[in-house]
Amino acid sequence: MAFVQRMEMVFVASADGRGECDASLRAGPPGFIRVLDARTLAYPEYRGNGVHASLGNIAENCHVGLLMVDFVQDLIGLHVNGAARIVEGADFTVAFPQVPADLGQGPRVERWVVVDVEEAYVHCRKHIPRMARVHEKREWGTDDPGRKGGDYFGAKQTPRWRPRPHAARRRFPSTTHLGGGSSRTLRPR
């Protein structure tokens, strides 16, 4: 619980109703990820870039994966998998009055993602790089396209990509949660 509450970022993995995946970064001051009880976490959602990839996915498919990594102090990570639900800000305040609504960082929280933890496990520290903390003032909640990243990759002028039909794509099986002898088959010794 102490590890989660000191995190300043979390990587959120989600998938839509068809299984199309997305990974997003959420960040904030230490404590922005709230531990509601021994099996429930919550993180705030603000007005962002308007894509709503994670929230859209959660609305269709509640399964999420969270990855929190300490790059500075302990060089360790924590995976959390669970079922997520979107709770509007006012409803969250009523349901969890013990949680301060204001994080003290700029904009008002519009909604919360509440995650019922189904499993949590360590992320091996072997290849986590050590990073140094750089203190800088951030423009939280800005609507300035340049500060939000704008067209950093120069993608606005490229033709829109059309994915292949769903049936034509082959899925590579995950080696993380396979049962039986599958993981031994896919992981050479």
Side-chain angles (χ1 to χ4, degrees):
M1 292 170 88
F3 179 86
V4 170
Q5 292 176 140
R6 68 181 167 86
M7 290 294 100
E8 295 180 58
M9 65 178 150
V10 60
F11 298 96
V12 179
S14 61
D16 66 17
R18 295 182 324 264
E20 300 296 325
C21 298
D22 182 72
S24 296
L25 172 69
R26 297 294 185 271
F32 88 102
I33 304 170
R34 303 300 173 95
V35 177
L36 303 177
D37 62 41
R39 299 197 62 86
T40 314
L41 304 176
Y43 64 87
E45 285 285 339
Y46 303 95
R47 191 168 126 223
N49 60 9
V51 174
H52 300 293
S54 298
L55 292 178
N57 286 347
I58 292 167
E60 291 183 22
N61 175 355
C62 70
H63 300 287
V64 296
L66 307 178
L67 175 61
M68 294 162 262
V69 182
D70 179 347
F71 294 103
V72 177
Q73 185 177 325
D74 296 326
L75 301 182
I76 197 78
L78 177 67
H79 291 266
V80 174
N81 295 322
R85 63 187 184 279
I86 302 165
V87 180
E88 294 301 317
D91 296 334
F92 183 85
T93 302
V94 170
F96 303 100
Q98 75 278 15
V99 178
D102 181 18
L103 297 174
Q105 285 285 95
R108 180 182 58 81
V109 175
E110 290 188 351
R111 60 195 53 85
W112 291 81
V113 174
V114 178
V115 179
D116 296 319
V117 177
E118 295 170 356
E119 67 177 342
Y121 53 94
V122 69
H123 183 87
C124 173
R125 68 174 19 137
K126 187 164 81 171
H127 297 291
I128 295 176
R130 181 171 298 282
M131 297 184 177
R133 178 175 311 287
V134 175
H135 295 283
E136 67 178 71
K137 184 173 172 86
R138 301 297 307 260
E139 294 291 333
W140 293 100
T142 183
D143 280 330
D144 178 346
R147 289 186 181 153
K148 290 170 73 171
D151 190 24
Y152 178 85
F153 294 103
K156 285 186 178 180
Q157 301 305 315
T158 57
R160 185 156 175 85
W161 179 75
R162 300 282 182 221
R164 292 181 282 173
H166 188 65
R169 280 184 280 156
R170 289 183 42 213
R171 299 258 184 217
F172 186 80
S174 168
T175 59
T176 307
H177 300 294
L178 295 177
S182 302
S183 62
R184 286 189 297 279
T185 303
L186 292 172
R187 291 186 188 142
R189 294 194 194 272

